[in-house]
Amino acid sequence: MTYFGINIADFSWTCLRDFDFTSLCSQTSIIDILKVLFLGVFYTSLVISLIRGSSACGSNRKNWVFLVVSICCVLISIAHFSNGLRLWNRKSLLACIFRAFMWLSFTVSLHAQRNKWIKILNSIWWTSSCVLASTLNIEIMFKGYTIQLFEMIQWLVHFLLLFCSFQNLGCFVASQSKQEDTASLSQPLIAQKVETTQTQLGRATLLSKLTFSWVNSLLRLGYSKPLALEDIPFLLPEDEANLAYQAFMHAWESLLRETSNNNNNKNLVLWSVARTFSKENILIAFYALLRSICMIISPLILYAFVNYTNSTEADLKQGFSILGFMVLSKVVESLCQRHYAFGSRRSGMKIRSALMVAVYQKLLKLSSSARTRHSTGEVVNYIAVDAYRLGEFPWWFHIAWTSAVQLVLSIIILFSVVGVGALPGLVPLLICGLLNVPFAKIIHSCQSQFMMAQDERLRSTSEILSSMKIIKLQSWEDKFKNLVLSLRAKEFKWLTKIQIIKANGSFLYWMNPTIVPTVVFLGCALFKSAPLNAGTIFTVITSLRVMGEPVRMIPEALSIMIQVKVSFDRLNTFLLDEELTSTNGYGRNIKQSSVNAVEIQEGNFIWDHESVSPTLREVKLEIKWGQKIAVCGPVGAGKSSLLYAVLGEIPKISGTVNVGGTIAYVSQTSWIQSGTVRDNILFGKPMDKTRYENVTKVCALDMDINDFSHGDLTEIGQRGINMSGGQRQRIQLARAVYNDADIYLLDDPFSAVDAQTAAILFHDCVMTALREKTVILVTHQVEFLTEVDTILVMEDGKVTQSGSYEDLQSAGTAFEQLVSAHKAALTGLDKKYENSSDSDIEFMVHPEESQSFNLTKNQSEQVISTKGQLGAQLTQEEEKLTGDVGWKQFWDYISFSRSSFVFFLTMLAEFAFIALQTASSYWLALAFEIPKVTSGLLIGVYASFSFLSAIFIYIRSFLAAYLGLKASEAFFSSFTSAIFNAPMLFFDSTPVGRILTRASSDLSILDIDIPYTLTLVAFVAAEILVTICVMVSITWQVLIVAVPATVASIYIQGYHQASSRELMRINGTTKAPVMNFAAETSLGVVTIRAMNMVNRFFSNYLKLVDMDAAVFFHSNVATEWSILRIELLQNLTVFTAAALLILLPRESVSPGLVGLSLSYALTLKESQVFCSRMYSMLSDHIISVERIKQFIHIPSEPPAFVEDNRPPSSWPSKGRIDLKALEIRYRPNAQLVLKGINCTFVEGSRVGVVGRTGSGKTTLISALFRLVEPSRGDILIDGINICLMGLKDLRTKLSIIPQEPTLFKGSIRTNLDPLGFYEDDEIWKALEKCQLKETISKLPGLLDSSVSDEGGNWSLGQRQLFCLGRVLLKRNRILVLDEATASIDSATDTILQQVIRQEFAECTVITVAHRVPTVIDSDMVMVLSYGKLVEYDEPSKLMATNSWFSNLVAEYWSSCRKNSSPNISRKQH
């Protein structure tokens, strides 16, 4: 082994006697001397550090690079020693031992870095060794000598040592930051609040920023364990949502002032975004331009290489100059591409955050009329769809203009190489480009239709999920499931069109590099503008490959830009919509008043400006400080609207509203946030333990909280779904009381609680705890009116009467009509029990004088809300898998739809395409060596191969589309069936947002993204393998670099994927809270504004947006980190291939093969990066499959029909119900909710079910409908065990008016008769009986009049009347009324009870009620307490004893005594 006349096994120091710096021998001698010096310094430093006992800063754990390099060093050391033994002469052996020792010392240095100084020394040593070895080897090549393979390997290991020195430098920087963090631990806790968890970008060095090394610590953590949300660092202040929003709003307000002066109609959102973020996008544009220039010079480099190999004499300087230019262009291209991508995403993230916050802020300011134009679902869409889409705007904007630049420059290069011969090629290129425009338009049109169909499906799905309880109770699952499936069928029709058009577009894209080169070659042959040699042909092919990307991307970018414009317009419309006129913060157009607490003068108010008459007319109101005001009146009189007028929420036509202090508001429909009970009560106020305990006590929550398994830290589900109606109402009342405001507006807060609890709330809370406060109470509970200062009676939007109870009663007008029903009920009650003893009457009328009542009250306080007794929180954290998804999820996607054969055919078509493409390239490379091949034959064979390959790609595209469509259909069908068949407990414990996320974004990924990425990953992976095979077939030596580079790339991909996968999963759980929070805010915005909590909600929303953005930000930077390293590794393979083509003898490789090798080599990096990105995307997308499968496999409820146990068609003919040892628990191992209930409801009887809120009344009804299955015991109806029959057979035979009245978007007809069973006459008769005929007959649409989302355009009382209308149509033998008349006034309640008695005289009627008159005339009364049946008897017998029921009646009478006793006295006399 010799070169330049020197035996490499000998010492070169003999050359120093005749020193000549230009001689290789002298240069080698100097290098050996420097090696000895470095060895001496290293071992001296190592010994000193061992003596001192100092240890390394940071972790001693080495990464995989150090391990690989140390193994390489050991192997080289062994090789040197073996070589010395083989030569076996003293001088050679000594030289070999020295070199073996030096490489062994490299191994020691890699593992013995005990302090930062040794690390610095090692870095200098390794860098110097690499530079010296490189200098010597380049000098050897320039002098025409050959470098041996062993020396080449050593040179490569020197480069690895150089990489380790950079790693050391990064470690040193990281260790400094760690020292800073450690030092900060000694500082006070307040000082280190953010420092320890903020992203490392702010402290990164230039090199670290350039290579994205600042994210190393997060990736290292992600590789060692699955990442959790708390592991994600905070954003830099400059990236936070608040700063972006402030900058955006500054530009917005400036433009708003300008346009108001100029009457300009330009899109303010677009121009505000442009003004705010244009500066940072100038740098991104520079990166993008530089990257485009570097990309389009690739064909010129190839052209130069082929011409160089064609030259007769080898000029290494020229060859290495071309190589150096290639290295420079590729490295700059990689760095610019990565920083352009990262910068675009970062800028987009800030735009997205700014717009999300702007939408939320606008939501907090929207006027009532504007809120009707933008439903909750639409506002969530502005955030979830439009703001997210505009986050992609910078990326696509830069792609659009750089693609145009790239296309123009590529055409110029093509002309410079082949001249006018390129002109014919422009024709098909132009045709393909122009054909892309209609394709883009058609796809955009289909996409718009698809999105509209998807929106419609999601709106229905959202409504159905929110109302799933009523759907199951009424057994309407099939009806609504078919509705969803029919909406999906419309959506699927457009999806199919999109996929077919995309398949055609794919064929068009791949035809482009087939037809265009053929036409260009023909042009060259015809015009003779350029010779058809290797240089021309492969330069043309490479140029057209470079042009392929912009030709494909420009139409896509334009399509995205159209969608972006639509989003800009939507947001512009929303942000310019009407706001509340505000003189005192958000939400109140009020003036401060010091004389009166509330004052309204000549007030006229209207909800709908198009309406003929005002909602409230001629309101004149003066309320003194500390007064208690009650507002009463029939359903739809305008009581709630009066409170809205005080709040400033209803548009004012005329008059003045003055409010003198802070307000607390309790809405009629309880608004509860997701979170703990404590969070809902505190509502952002600091915890005052004494006040908090007092508030929970006066709001009758103390017992409930004690009985929850997690106390006041019990999680409340979405919209308070896991709390009873009474608990929700009391929680929001407690929230208002704890808020300690001056004025309290209470909108019917007692409707959802029983009489005893209502009395406690009224006396202890309203009259005692709020005794010094001003209270305006809207109520239907007439019994409380005697104790208030003033009563306002409302009718048809006008205050018809006002005064004290005595004044109004003596007036003998509308007020007396209101209370007459209440008095009648009490009088009837008195008549019913006129035979009772005096002591019984005395006990009932004066319960506070009886000791036994006090005992009973204590007993009643033992009643426990058993819903809270579950061992775990009802609403659990969202389940997410961790770790590698493996290949199982990919295979599940294919096998779930039974498409294995289709997938096999798709792969076969792909491989056929690649094989034909490779064959056509080889033909071009080898044809030059065949003398008889003419230009015509050359072009003809190439065109044939290419055209055949295009046909296979067409087949592949169609098969991939078919595969995706089949999978979408299979997954959606299974998912929908699983959701509709899920038990009610699933909906109680799963927020609607979780289900909707799977039904929207996850399904969208399944529809569009996975089929595309799955086939592309397989395709590009095969293409990379073929590329390396082609390069190896020409220069096999490239394997020395290609194999390690590929292995390292795979390792880096896996290393990054460990973190990327978890980041994607976390991102799936951080997006939903943002949407849920916005939806909750939209529903409760009146309460938020009323209680002056806007700033707190805004601050909380900012935190959620920043949390979501932080995950997105680090997910992007992790991707760029991995791609940059993979690019550099693959570039190393390309550089090696190019270097080998320079170094190999001329005759060994023909120019055609040089062109072939380089044309493939230049695509290797792009292919590898594309594969890496696509695989990352696929791994992220496949998580959607895993998430949907989670819900496909949820346990289902029992079947709709059990063929062996079908009841007779006439069942139930009697309506007898037997409960036998009935026990209910909500989950296995949870505490019992109903405990051994034994009783019989006789056929045709009326049974009243009473008990304190949460005592198990609603659970009993749930058991009757089998919403929850008995854990023990049986329920028999007419002797048939209902637990053995199908659910549909059971539920269709039972009727119910539920506690929460539910209406669906549609018409009055579809709400009363969803299944379309009844004629219009029957519906009108039902409406007449339930007191709605008069109201509906005035509507222009009659039965076809619209019902808005969740029945929002009807009052709560009217909604309950609709539910009564449904059961009047069904006329089943068993009717259940679950708090059915809680939200209607006593007069209407009395009429309805008479209707029910008449219409259901022969039916078994089970009434769960809070009002005693509602159940007092029942045949039997069931009293539940703590899940146990404590009493079941006739009301008269229970009243005759000191029973639970008699005490409940006594409590009710006690609260009614003042206004009812005179009447009773008159009757008695």
Side-chain angles (χ1 to χ4, degrees):
M1 297 202 310
T2 62
Y3 57 79
F4 56 88
I6 298 173
N7 191 326
I8 63 163
D10 293 341
F11 279 115
S12 54
W13 302 347
T14 52
C15 300
L16 292 175
R17 289 175 296 190
D18 303 312
F19 184 78
D20 177 9
F21 189 75
T22 57
S23 76
L24 290 172
C25 185
S26 299
Q27 290 169 2
T28 310
S29 300
I30 293 167
I31 290 170
D32 284 339
I33 290 166
L34 288 171
K35 286 176 183 175
V36 171
L37 286 172
F38 273 117
L39 281 172
V41 173
F42 167 69
Y43 281 111
T44 304
S45 303
L46 190 61
V47 169
I48 291 168
S49 70
L50 287 168
I51 292 167
R52 287 183 175 176
S54 60
S55 61
C57 56
S59 172
N60 281 317
R61 189 173 64 85
K62 296 290 170 286
N63 63 27
W64 64 275
V65 179
F66 280 68
L67 189 63
V68 170
V69 178
S70 62
I71 291 167
C72 292
C73 291
V74 169
L75 292 173
I76 292 170
S77 176
I78 292 166
H80 273 296
F81 189 71
S82 303
N83 189 42
L85 291 175
R86 185 176 60 79
L87 294 172
W88 195 250
N89 69 68
R90 187 165 172 265
K91 196 159 69 169
S92 297
L93 181 60
L94 190 62
C96 288
I97 289 171
F98 168 71
R99 290 195 172 91
F101 178 67
M102 186 197 69
W103 282 101
L104 200 60
S105 298
F106 279 137
T107 306
V108 174
S109 69
L110 285 161
H111 292 277
Q113 304 189 76
R114 294 183 57 77
N115 57 49
K116 67 179 182 181
W117 299 113
I118 290 183
K119 285 189 176 185
I120 293 168
L121 174 66
N122 286 345
S123 298
I124 295 168
W125 180 18
W126 300 337
T127 305
S128 303
S129 295
C130 181
V131 170
L132 292 169
S134 300
T135 307
L136 184 64
N137 286 333
I138 290 167
E139 182 74 14
I140 290 165
M141 287 190 291
F142 270 112
K143 291 197 174 179
Y145 296 106
T146 304
I147 300 178
Q148 299 294 324
L149 181 62
F150 185 52
E151 292 298 321
M152 283 289 291
I153 292 168
Q154 289 183 77
W155 192 10
L156 284 173
V157 177
H158 273 299
F159 275 110
L160 290 174
L161 282 167
L162 177 66
F163 181 72
C164 290
S165 71
F166 286 129
Q167 287 265 316
N168 251 3
L169 182 64
C171 177
F172 178 59
V173 172
S175 69
Q176 280 186 320
S177 66
K178 284 177 188 174
Q179 283 176 344
E180 287 168 17
D181 290 345
T182 308
S184 70
L185 292 173
S186 61
Q187 301 298 318
L189 284 172
I190 297 169
Q192 58 149 15
K193 185 171 68 175
V194 179
E195 281 299 310
T196 53
T197 51
Q198 198 174 69
T199 184
Q200 295 290 318
L201 177 58
R203 297 193 292 271
T205 60
L206 179 62
L207 180 65
S208 183
K209 285 179 181 176
L210 204 62
T211 59
F212 302 104
S213 298
W214 52 269
V215 82
N216 282 351
S217 56
L218 181 66
L219 293 175
R220 198 179 301 120
L221 182 66
Y223 191 66
S224 63
K225 73 174 188 75
L227 289 174
L229 184 57
E230 57 270 17
D231 297 323
I232 312 301
F234 294 147
L235 295 170
L236 290 176
E238 67 203 60
D239 292 325
E240 287 179 354
N242 194 33
L243 200 66
Y245 166 71
Q246 297 295 344
F248 171 81
M249 284 312 293
H250 179 74
W252 170 269
E253 285 161 7
S254 172
L255 282 164
L256 207 56
R257 285 192 296 271
E258 290 172 20
T259 51
S260 61
N261 297 332
N262 304 334
N263 293 322
N264 196 335
N265 292 326
K266 64 182 179 182
N267 189 300
L268 297 186
V269 177
L270 170 60
W271 287 102
S272 299
V273 166
R275 279 193 186 183
T276 310
F277 301 101
S278 56
K279 285 182 183 176
E280 62 194 55
N281 276 277
I282 291 169
L283 179 62
I284 296 166
F286 173 73
Y287 287 142
L289 182 63
L290 207 56
R291 171 250 179 191
S292 296
I293 292 168
C294 289
M295 273 195 78
I296 55 118
I297 61 172
S298 293
L300 293 177
I301 293 170
L302 185 141
Y303 190 65
F305 252 111
V306 176
N307 286 343
Y308 168 75
T309 53
N310 261 330
S311 60
T312 51
E313 292 183 9
D315 185 355
L316 283 176
K317 285 186 180 178
Q318 185 190 351
F320 277 104
S321 298
I322 298 169
L323 178 60
F325 199 65
M326 176 194 274
V327 170
L328 181 66
S329 70
K330 286 294 170 188
V331 170
V332 170
E333 182 194 327
S334 291
L335 289 171
C336 287
Q337 169 79 357
R338 302 283 57 84
H339 283 278
Y340 140 67
F342 173 62
S344 297
R345 301 288 187 196
R346 188 181 183 187
S347 179
M349 177 191 77
K350 288 196 266 189
I351 292 170
R352 184 183 83 186
S353 296
L355 293 173
M356 286 167 77
V357 176
V359 168
Y360 185 79
Q361 184 76 313
K362 184 71 179 184
L363 169 63
L364 293 168
K365 298 179 182 179
L366 275 186
S367 68
S368 56
S369 57
R371 277 184 23 241
T372 61
R373 290 191 289 274
H374 307 280
S375 68
T376 298
E378 284 175 312
V379 172
V380 170
N381 263 353
Y382 296 146
I383 295 169
V385 178
D386 295 303
Y388 269 79
R389 185 179 289 152
L390 294 179
E392 297 293 312
F393 171 57
W395 168 261
W396 285 104
F397 172 73
H398 290 300
I399 277 182
W401 74 263
T402 52
S403 294
V405 169
Q406 207 171 306
L407 193 60
V408 171
L409 291 175
S410 297
I411 291 169
I412 292 168
I413 285 174
L414 200 59
F415 269 96
S416 70
V417 174
V418 297
V420 292
L423 275 174
L426 292 180
V427 176
L429 187 68
L430 194 64
I431 291 168
C432 287
L434 290 173
L435 280 173
N436 270 318
V437 174
F439 264 110
K441 281 185 178 177
I442 294 166
I443 287 177
H444 176 250
S445 172
C446 292
Q447 193 85 34
S448 299
Q449 294 293 332
F450 173 72
M451 292 296 288
M452 285 166 62
Q454 189 183 55
D455 285 346
E456 194 180 351
R457 173 178 62 84
L458 289 175
R459 188 205 57 73
S460 290
T461 305
S462 176
E463 188 177 49
I464 288 164
L465 291 173
S466 299
S467 310
M468 189 55 84
K469 185 172 183 179
I470 185 67
I471 289 170
K472 287 192 173 293
L473 288 170
Q474 303 281 7
S475 194
W476 289 339
E477 294 102 317
D478 289 345
K479 157 76 179 173
F480 284 98
K481 181 181 171 184
N482 290 334
L483 171 66
V484 172
L485 290 174
S486 67
L487 291 171
R488 173 63 177 177
K490 290 182 192 173
E491 184 186 356
F492 196 75
K493 181 183 79 173
W494 292 110
L495 176 66
T496 306
K497 284 187 178 180
I498 290 168
Q499 296 292 46
I500 297 299
I501 293 164
K502 279 187 174 179
N504 287 319
S506 179
F507 175 66
L508 194 67
Y509 171 67
W510 285 106
M511 279 297 286
N512 199 30
T514 305
I515 296 171
V516 179
T518 308
V519 176
V520 172
F521 298 154
L522 277 170
C524 290
L526 290 171
F527 295 115
K528 300 194 182 332
S529 58
L532 277 179
N533 56 23
T536 305
I537 284 176
F538 287 106
T539 303
V540 167
I541 289 171
T542 309
S543 296
L544 290 171
R545 275 181 185 161
V546 171
M547 290 165 72
E549 185 190 354
V551 166
R552 180 174 58 89
M553 293 305 290
I554 287 172
E556 195 171 343
L558 290 174
S559 174
I560 298 287
M561 285 297 147
I562 293 165
Q563 293 176 37
V564 161
K565 186 187 179 302
V566 170
S567 291
F568 269 128
D569 290 340
R570 278 160 57 92
L571 290 183
N572 196 61
T573 305
F574 177 70
L575 293 178
L576 287 172
D577 215 330
E578 184 186 8
E579 295 181 5
L580 275 180
T581 51
S582 175
T583 57
N584 184 27
Y586 295 104
R588 278 177 243 156
N589 49 347
I590 64 169
K591 295 178 182 176
Q592 292 292 341
S593 170
S594 55
V595 180
N596 295 317
V598 178
E599 189 177 306
I600 303 176
Q601 296 293 335
E602 302 301 325
N604 288 287
F605 305 88
I606 191 163
W607 282 117
D608 185 2
H609 289 291
E610 296 176 5
S611 178
V612 180
S613 59
T615 309
L616 296 176
R617 293 175 287 127
E618 301 168 23
V619 177
K620 187 176 181 182
L621 190 64
E622 288 186 4
I623 299 171
K624 307 291 183 190
W625 289 103
Q627 276 193 321
K628 305 292 180 285
I629 308 296
V631 183
C632 56
V635 172
K639 303 183 293 296
S640 297
S641 295
L642 181 65
L643 297 189
Y644 280 126
V646 176
L647 291 169
E649 292 286 341
I650 181 169
K652 184 175 62 176
I653 304 170
S654 61
T656 58
V657 180
N658 298 328
V659 177
T662 57
I663 291 178
Y665 171 66
V666 175
S667 58
Q668 185 176 20
T669 306
S670 55
W671 176 70
I672 300 292
Q673 278 187 278
S674 300
T676 63
V677 174
R678 180 187 294 178
D679 290 340
N680 272 277
I681 295 173
L682 295 180
F683 207 51
K685 297 279 185 180
M687 167 63 94
D688 180 333
K689 194 74 177 171
T690 307
R691 180 151 64 105
Y692 181 79
E693 288 174 355
N694 184 50
V695 166
T696 53
K697 187 175 181 182
V698 300
C699 293
L701 273 172
D702 48 346
M703 288 295 105
D704 295 275
I705 288 172
N706 290 336
D707 299 331
F708 292 145
S709 59
H710 295 81
D712 63 354
L713 297 177
T714 298
E715 289 280 348
I716 299 177
Q718 196 173 36
R719 292 184 172 188
I721 196 165
N722 53 331
M723 296 282 153
S724 71
Q727 286 168 333
R728 290 200 295 273
Q729 196 67 281
R730 282 179 286 139
I731 286 169
Q732 71 162 357
L733 183 61
R735 176 175 67 208
V737 176
Y738 190 85
N739 199 53
D740 196 26
D742 301 320
I743 302 161
Y744 282 78
L745 308 180
L746 311 179
D747 195 353
D748 201 13
F750 310 136
S751 61
V753 297
D754 57 80
Q756 180 184 347
T757 308
I760 293 169
L761 293 177
F762 182 75
H763 291 113
D764 295 357
C765 180
V766 177
M767 301 306 294
T768 307
L770 303 179
R771 60 184 173 276
E772 296 176 4
K773 308 292 184 180
T774 305
V775 180
I776 304 175
L777 170 69
V778 171
T779 185
H780 291 127
Q781 270 79 357
V782 178
E783 57 268 24
F784 300 135
L785 299 180
T786 55
E787 298 188 39
V788 300
D789 299 315
T790 305
I791 300 166
L792 303 179
V793 182
M794 295 196 70
E795 202 168 355
D796 294 329
K798 200 171 181 180
V799 179
T800 54
Q801 290 175 279
S802 68
S804 66
Y805 182 84
E806 289 77 13
D807 295 340
L808 295 179
Q809 195 177 33
S810 61
T813 50
F815 177 69
E816 193 166 13
Q817 294 173 15
L818 247 178
V819 297
S820 61
H822 179 68
K823 286 185 175 182
L826 295 175
T827 305
L829 182 66
D830 179 56
K831 281 181 177 178
K832 189 165 185 176
Y833 299 108
E834 61 187 0
N835 296 326
S836 297
S837 66
D838 290 343
S839 62
D840 290 336
I841 293 289
E842 181 69 21
F843 169 74
M844 286 188 284
V845 179
H846 302 285
E848 63 271 24
E849 295 172 15
S850 170
Q851 290 180 347
S852 60
F853 171 74
N854 292 327
L855 174 68
T856 306
K857 185 172 179 181
N858 292 334
Q859 283 178 329
S860 75
E861 287 178 351
Q862 294 172 13
V863 180
I864 289 178
S865 172
T866 50
K867 282 191 180 184
Q869 292 184 347
L870 305 177
Q873 298 280 25
L874 184 57
T875 304
Q876 298 292 318
E877 272 191 41
E878 185 166 2
E879 181 188 350
K880 67 178 181 70
L881 298 181
T882 55
D884 189 3
V885 291
W887 291 101
K888 185 179 183 299
Q889 300 294 351
F890 297 106
W891 184 246
D892 281 351
Y893 173 77
I894 295 160
S895 61
F896 195 84
S897 55
R898 297 176 182 171
S899 303
S900 310
F901 183 65
V902 177
F903 181 71
F904 172 73
L905 289 178
T906 308
M907 291 298 102
L908 208 61
E910 277 193 358
F911 294 142
F913 166 77
I914 293 168
L916 287 164
Q917 284 274 300
T918 309
S920 67
S921 299
Y922 259 106
W923 164 252
L924 289 175
L926 298 173
F928 299 112
E929 297 178 13
I930 305 169
K932 292 182 181 179
V933 173
T934 61
S935 295
L937 183 60
L938 178 82
I939 296 164
V941 173
Y942 172 76
S944 302
F945 274 131
S946 298
F947 188 74
L948 275 172
S949 67
I951 290 170
F952 276 106
I953 206 70
Y954 186 63
I955 294 166
R956 190 269 286 174
S957 300
F958 264 99
L959 288 173
Y962 178 68
L963 175 72
L965 291 168
K966 270 195 81 177
S968 290
E969 202 169 18
F971 274 101
F972 183 82
S973 175
S974 300
F975 174 76
T976 305
S977 297
I979 294 299
F980 276 94
N981 292 335
M984 199 59 220
L985 180 63
F986 169 76
F987 299 98
D988 288 343
S989 59
T990 308
V992 171
R994 284 187 199 169
I995 306 172
L996 277 179
T997 305
R998 285 162 173 82
S1000 56
S1001 55
D1002 286 324
L1003 193 72
S1004 185
I1005 285 169
L1006 217 72
D1007 285 342
I1008 293 165
D1009 297 320
I1010 292 181
Y1012 175 71
T1013 48
L1014 182 65
T1015 49
L1016 267 184
V1017 166
F1019 171 71
V1020 181
E1023 198 172 47
I1024 290 167
L1025 192 63
V1026 169
T1027 300
I1028 292 172
C1029 289
V1030 168
M1031 290 164 67
V1032 168
S1033 70
I1034 296 163
T1035 48
W1036 67 267
Q1037 294 89 341
V1038 82
L1039 275 174
I1040 297 166
V1041 177
V1043 172
T1046 305
V1047 171
S1049 296
I1050 292 166
Y1051 178 84
I1052 287 170
Q1053 179 73 25
Y1055 184 80
H1056 151 258
Q1057 201 61 40
S1059 300
S1060 175
R1061 188 172 44 244
E1062 298 308 317
L1063 285 167
M1064 191 67 186
R1065 283 170 174 154
I1066 294 166
N1067 204 18
T1069 61
T1070 56
K1071 187 177 176 181
V1074 177
M1075 310 313 152
N1076 284 341
F1077 193 80
E1080 280 183 351
T1081 302
S1082 181
L1083 293 168
V1085 70
V1086 175
T1087 304
I1088 294 165
R1089 294 197 286 225
M1091 297 174 77
N1092 202 23
M1093 282 291 164
V1094 167
N1095 290 336
R1096 186 178 77 85
F1097 271 74
F1098 183 68
S1099 175
N1100 288 344
Y1101 183 74
L1102 284 176
K1103 288 174 187 172
L1104 289 173
V1105 171
D1106 281 338
M1107 189 188 300
D1108 186 43
V1111 179
F1112 174 81
F1113 176 80
H1114 288 95
S1115 179
N1116 274 314
V1117 76
T1119 302
E1120 301 307 331
W1121 179 94
S1122 73
I1123 290 176
L1124 180 65
R1125 280 148 182 78
I1126 290 168
E1127 277 187 342
L1128 292 173
L1129 284 167
Q1130 294 307 326
N1131 277 336
L1132 194 62
T1133 308
V1134 176
F1135 303 154
T1136 305
L1140 286 168
L1141 291 170
I1142 293 168
L1143 295 171
L1144 287 171
R1146 291 305 173 84
E1147 62 279 0
S1148 63
V1149 184
S1150 70
L1153 291 174
V1154 168
L1156 177 65
S1157 178
L1158 278 178
S1159 67
Y1160 270 83
L1162 288 170
T1163 63
L1164 180 63
K1165 185 206 75 172
E1166 280 74 22
S1167 297
Q1168 180 69 56
V1169 169
F1170 188 68
C1171 183
S1172 174
R1173 188 178 281 281
M1174 283 294 113
Y1175 180 71
S1176 294
M1177 282 174 65
L1178 183 60
S1179 296
D1180 294 341
H1181 290 157
I1182 215 73
I1183 291 166
S1184 294
V1185 174
E1186 135 194 333
R1187 281 162 57 81
I1188 289 172
K1189 276 179 60 195
Q1190 281 175 353
F1191 279 19
I1192 286 175
H1193 295 134
I1194 52 176
S1196 64
E1197 61 183 359
F1201 302 104
V1202 178
E1203 291 303 327
D1204 298 338
N1205 284 289
R1206 295 293 300 270
S1209 57
S1210 60
W1211 178 88
S1213 55
K1214 299 176 182 176
R1216 178 188 178 90
I1217 302 171
D1218 294 297
L1219 307 178
K1220 296 187 175 180
L1222 181 64
E1223 292 184 356
I1224 299 286
R1225 62 177 94 239
Y1226 277 104
R1227 283 180 179 163
N1229 305 320
Q1231 294 184 28
L1232 287 171
V1233 182
L1234 291 182
K1235 305 171 182 178
I1237 307 290
N1238 281 290
C1239 70
T1240 298
F1241 299 167
V1242 179
E1243 56 267 31
S1245 64
R1246 293 171 52 80
V1247 179
V1249 181
V1250 294
R1252 187 170 177 261
T1253 300
S1255 59
K1257 305 187 295 293
T1258 301
T1259 303
L1260 178 67
I1261 303 308
S1262 297
L1264 188 61
F1265 283 82
R1266 286 178 65 196
L1267 292 182
V1268 57
E1269 294 292 321
S1271 54
R1272 260 194 69 202
D1274 298 310
I1275 303 173
L1276 276 63
I1277 297 179
D1278 284 3
I1280 297 177
N1281 190 341
I1282 66 168
C1283 298
L1284 302 177
M1285 68 175 65
L1287 291 180
K1288 199 169 187 68
D1289 280 335
L1290 169 68
R1291 291 170 184 169
T1292 51
K1293 300 293 184 175
L1294 306 178
S1295 294
I1296 184 168
I1297 304 177
Q1299 185 174 3
E1300 293 174 4
T1302 304
L1303 298 185
F1304 299 91
K1305 186 177 175 71
S1307 66
I1308 291 168
R1309 179 185 281 104
T1310 57
N1311 270 280
L1312 286 169
D1313 180 24
L1315 305 179
F1317 286 165
Y1318 305 100
E1319 299 294 329
D1320 282 8
D1321 289 346
E1322 294 175 281
I1323 295 173
W1324 278 114
K1325 284 177 186 175
L1327 287 170
E1328 185 176 11
K1329 289 170 185 173
C1330 66
Q1331 311 296 305
L1332 280 171
K1333 183 178 180 181
E1334 187 180 347
T1335 307
I1336 293 168
S1337 59
K1338 290 178 184 176
L1339 298 174
L1342 299 176
L1343 292 178
D1344 293 317
S1345 299
S1346 68
V1347 176
S1348 65
D1349 282 334
E1350 299 182 1
N1353 56 337
W1354 297 86
S1355 75
L1356 200 62
Q1358 287 168 327
R1359 279 180 253 167
Q1360 283 191 317
L1361 298 179
F1362 272 113
C1363 294
L1364 177 62
R1366 286 174 187 157
V1367 301
L1368 287 169
L1369 283 170
K1370 280 178 80 173
R1371 293 185 169 279
N1372 284 323
R1373 295 291 295 181
I1374 295 173
L1375 170 65
V1376 177
L1377 308 176
D1378 188 1
E1379 321 282 7
T1381 55
S1383 295
I1384 55 179
D1385 58 273
S1386 298
T1388 311
D1389 187 14
T1390 304
I1391 295 166
L1392 293 183
Q1393 292 300 333
Q1394 290 172 355
V1395 169
I1396 290 167
R1397 286 190 200 99
Q1398 290 169 8
E1399 298 296 324
F1400 298 96
E1402 297 179 1
C1403 302
T1404 306
V1405 180
I1406 303 166
T1407 307
V1408 175
H1410 293 147
R1411 294 178 180 173
V1412 171
T1414 306
V1415 295
I1416 201 73
D1417 62 344
S1418 301
D1419 300 320
M1420 300 289 284
V1421 170
M1422 167 188 271
V1423 183
L1424 293 174
S1425 174
Y1426 196 6
K1428 294 179 180 176
L1429 175 63
V1430 290
E1431 291 170 358
Y1432 182 62
D1433 210 336
E1434 295 175 22
S1436 56
K1437 291 180 180 178
L1438 292 174
M1439 290 294 292
T1441 61
N1442 182 14
S1443 65
W1444 283 74
F1445 181 65
S1446 64
N1447 293 328
L1448 190 66
V1449 173
E1451 169 67 12
Y1452 183 78
W1453 272 63
S1454 170
S1455 63
C1456 303
R1457 185 169 55 85
K1458 288 183 181 178
N1459 58 347
S1460 61
S1461 55
N1463 189 296
I1464 292 172
S1465 299
R1466 284 194 296 274
K1467 295 283 180 185
Q1468 285 175 334
H1469 292 293

